[in-house]
Amino acid sequence: MARAIIKLNNAEIRVDSHVARLSDTIAESPGILYVKGPNGSGKTIFLKTLAGLNDINEISSTGIIIEPGDARRWFVPQDPWLITLGDTGFDELRLVVKENTGKVLDNPQVYRVLRKRIAHMSYGERKIIEIIKAYMIEPDIACFDEPFSGLDKQYKGIAVQAINDLAGKSLVVIATNKDAETPGAKEVKVLAKQFKDDIDPPVPVADKGEIIIRNLFIRRGDNTIEVGELKLRSGEASTIIGPNGSGKTTTLLAIAGAIKYRGEIILRGKTGFIPDDTLLVSPGVTLNDVILNLCHADKDCMDRSLFTLQELGVRDRDKPYVALSDGQRRLALLIPQLFSGRAVLLIDSWLEGIDMRRRTVVYELIRQYLEDGGIIIATLPRGDKFDVVEGIPAPYD
């Protein structure tokens, strides 16, 4: 294993027109480097840069030196979007960790998870699998994006043990918005206030609601969709993932009450819907008409929506809705519903069509909406089969 060193000197990272600046530091293996900053500040982008994913994500950077240049690197995302090559956790490790030098973490709970079929794993169990992969591969630089978020006490203990053990051999880099939990660890700060051009829109409002789904069965043509159980209360979110045609939109339509289904769906609270096809709205209306309708003529909602849309570059309220770009139409449908007090938002195709600058702002608004007690179910074309996972995707997914 090579001795890895990361040097930051007037470091900057750029995505499109956005710039995140990092405090100067030098970190070397073995050890832990914490990357601190608020949501949307650029922590994930920095980790992807360290992991060598610049070309894939169109990231450019200056002032970042990694030695040696051929240091082996690994990136563990915040949300465990597993490409399930194996049937069980053990199968996954055999296929992915082919030439590992480490051993599986000696913990009975880890072995219980590894014996389980990946299709039946919870969010936390899938996340543990991703962390164990990095632990076994023993890269020179291991990058973890919010590794403890979404884990209960038991699984967090396993994650802490694996990452601390790995840090005894490698340089571990952890992105977090919380204080460092390891005494003596190095720290680097993302100096940009927010990775979003200082746009500061009003705070969304949400009513309290609830979603309960039991034994949902939907048939459309030759396709069948099943959801065993899903419960979401105020402040919670889930994402439906899967390839095109797997039934993501169909499931949202069933939850919204637009198509027939078997099973039980209990939906409490006023619900908003943002479709994948934004041209479904009548072509004879203006942007102002859309806002007026979605806000139910509430002046406060309209004022907040117009101000936020103007900050996001959607400024001509008398412009025909169909004349807006796809991303602008999506913003026009989403933003008023964030300010209208709806308890539940169903967002098909997540933030598709919204550019990176605006996407970071919208993500922060959605996060605030959840903090205020809203509920979100989103869809994202990811993975090779239909599944429902906890939380919402990161802004750059």
Side-chain angles (χ1 to χ4, degrees):
M1 178 178 291
R3 183 186 182 192
I5 302 175
I6 296 172
K7 300 178 181 178
L8 303 179
N9 185 13
N10 295 320
E12 293 185 350
I13 304 173
R14 298 176 183 82
V15 178
D16 296 329
S17 61
H18 316 287
V19 179
R21 296 176 177 84
L22 301 132
S23 58
D24 293 349
T25 193
I26 298 176
E28 58 186 277
S29 62
I32 297 180
L33 173 65
Y34 280 92
V35 183
K36 287 185 63 179
N39 292 333
S41 61
K43 301 188 300 296
T44 299
I45 297 301
F46 176 51
L47 256 60
K48 289 182 176 180
T49 300
L50 294 181
L53 302 177
N54 311 50
D55 294 338
I56 296 174
N57 293 275
E58 299 180 348
I59 304 167
S60 63
S61 61
T62 57
I64 301 175
I65 299 172
I66 299 175
E67 299 176 352
D70 61 350
R72 295 180 304 114
R73 313 174 200 180
W74 194 261
F75 174 72
V76 178
Q78 178 175 352
D79 296 311
W81 300 107
L82 282 180
I83 300 173
T84 52
L85 302 175
D87 183 32
T88 67
F90 277 119
D91 292 332
E92 182 80 8
L93 293 185
R94 291 189 192 102
L95 288 165
V96 178
V97 191
K98 293 181 180 178
E99 298 177 358
N100 66 84
T101 55
K103 297 180 180 179
V104 176
L105 197 66
D106 188 14
N107 184 300
Q109 184 68 9
V110 170
Y111 284 97
R112 187 193 69 78
V113 173
L114 291 174
R115 286 193 292 267
K116 197 170 184 179
R117 290 183 181 274
I118 294 174
H120 300 155
M121 286 183 183
S122 67
Y123 175 93
E125 289 169 336
R126 292 184 178 218
K127 192 159 186 171
I128 288 299
I129 293 292
E130 289 292 276
I131 292 171
I132 293 299
K133 284 182 190 177
Y135 172 83
M136 293 184 65
I137 288 170
E138 293 186 355
D140 300 315
I141 299 174
C143 301
F144 294 88
D145 193 2
E146 297 284 2
F148 310 125
S149 68
L151 297 180
D152 61 23
K153 184 177 181 180
Q154 184 179 40
Y155 286 137
K156 182 179 177 181
I158 294 172
V160 169
Q161 181 186 350
I163 290 173
N164 285 343
D165 285 358
L166 181 59
K169 310 167 189 175
S170 307
L171 177 52
V172 169
V173 185
I174 296 176
T176 180
N177 57 12
K178 299 179 175 62
D179 291 333
E181 298 184 17
T182 305
K186 287 265 188 176
E187 185 177 290
V188 61
K189 294 182 179 179
V190 182
L191 301 178
K193 181 181 178 183
Q194 284 286 318
F195 205 51
K196 60 179 189 181
D197 287 357
D198 293 326
I199 296 175
D200 191 20
V203 177
V205 292
D207 199 357
K208 301 298 183 286
E210 185 178 35
I211 295 176
I212 300 174
I213 297 174
R214 297 190 185 97
N215 302 319
L216 178 64
F217 181 89
I218 311 166
R219 183 184 296 278
R220 299 200 83 180
D222 296 330
N223 195 22
T224 60
I225 303 141
E226 296 182 57
V227 178
E229 184 174 48
L230 177 64
K231 294 181 180 180
L232 293 175
R233 294 179 175 84
S234 293
E236 296 180 336
S238 287
T239 302
I240 303 171
I241 62 172
N244 291 332
S246 60
K248 301 184 300 295
T249 297
T250 297
T251 304
L252 279 195
L253 291 172
I255 295 171
I259 62 173
K260 293 182 179 179
Y261 60 87
R262 294 208 309 266
E264 183 180 25
I265 297 177
I266 300 172
L267 186 59
R268 297 188 176 98
K270 188 165 65 173
T271 303
F273 190 91
I274 296 88
D276 177 24
D277 186 354
T278 58
L279 282 173
L280 291 172
V281 175
S282 172
V285 300
T286 65
L287 171 62
N288 193 70
D289 293 330
V290 171
I291 298 170
L292 180 70
N293 181 271
L294 292 175
C295 285
H296 297 292
D298 179 81
K299 186 178 186 303
D300 184 60
C301 173
M302 291 185 65
D303 289 344
R304 287 169 178 250
S305 299
L306 285 167
F307 175 84
T308 303
L309 287 169
Q310 287 173 0
E311 290 288 289
L312 291 167
V314 188
R315 296 187 172 90
D316 189 355
R317 58 193 295 176
D318 295 321
K319 189 172 185 176
Y321 171 81
V322 293
L324 300 173
S325 69
D326 182 60
Q328 290 175 328
R329 290 195 300 268
R330 197 159 187 80
L331 289 170
L333 296 179
L334 171 61
I335 296 301
Q337 298 191 68
L338 285 170
F339 294 117
S340 65
R342 285 168 167 80
V344 178
L345 285 182
L346 307 176
I347 307 176
D348 200 8
S349 290
W350 188 223
L351 305 181
E352 184 70 25
I354 300 174
D355 63 48
M356 290 299 182
R357 182 179 75 90
R358 294 172 178 83
R359 183 175 290 197
T360 310
V361 182
V362 174
Y363 181 84
E364 180 65 17
L365 286 169
I366 288 173
R367 188 187 65 79
Q368 291 175 356
Y369 169 81
L370 289 171
E371 286 186 356
D372 196 50
I375 296 172
I376 286 177
I377 298 182
T379 70
L380 187 70
R382 184 70 64 87
D384 57 1
K385 63 180 179 179
F386 180 95
D387 198 4
V388 182
V389 298
E390 181 182 334
I392 53 174
Y396 295 97
D397 282 324

